[in-house]
Amino acid sequence: LSPDVPRILCLDENFATGAQPTGDAYVKAAASGFHAVLSLRTAGEGIDLVRERAQVEKAKMRYFNIPVNGASPRPEQADEFLRLARDKANHPMLVNCASANRVGAFMMILRVVDQGWSEDKALEEAIKIGLSSEGLKRFARDYIASQKLQSR
């Protein structure tokens, strides 16, 4: 997948992350055993999401889109991300956005909320994935804090 998915990172047997896939990325992902693709891009980013869905589904994978505005991500989008990421039928899943910045934030949330990672360890991985925006880091931390309050 490497040349077709910028910033590709295979995190574990369930998740790979990256920036916007190009070329034969979806065919290669399917051939590598991926079951689903989750894009965090919005239609206003100059990407044809309908065409992307068709490419992914033609490669016999499930396609999901949570249109996250990087400047104003919403908690319900993180809820939906966790719901899709928890569904074993979607594993392994390729999670992408334009630069992997949003992907890093959402994976950080998954690691802490679902997998019990420390925030520091999850943030370290998120930065490797592509998280660079202070706003998205704050969103991830706030969401994690709200989940900890709810679970008390």
Side-chain angles (χ1 to χ4, degrees), residues 44-130:
E45 290 181 65
I47 179 85
D48 184 342
L49 295 171
V50 174
R51 183 169 165 264
E52 184 170 78
R53 173 183 294 275
Q55 289 176 321
V56 169
E57 291 177 347
K58 185 177 173 212
K60 306 277 186 269
M61 294 182 293
R62 297 161 110 183
Y63 180 80
F64 303 101
N65 174 236
I66 303 173
V68 177
N69 177 328
S72 57
R74 300 189 319 272
E76 60 272 20
Q77 292 173 319
D79 296 342
E80 175 72 355
F81 177 83
L82 290 173
R83 190 182 68 73
L84 292 171
R86 286 171 181 149
D87 185 345
K88 299 284 182 232
N90 294 331
H91 296 174
M93 178 191 277
L94 173 62
V95 187
N96 73 273
C97 64
S99 65
N101 187 16
R102 288 166 282 189
V103 176
F106 281 72
M107 286 304 298
M108 177 178 168
I109 289 168
L110 174 77
R111 295 301 200 195
V112 177
V113 171
D114 268 22
Q115 299 176 351
W117 287 29
S118 72
E119 263 186 61
D120 288 345
K121 181 181 173 191
L123 177 60
E124 200 174 296
E125 180 190 66
I127 290 167
K128 278 190 196 122
I129 290 169

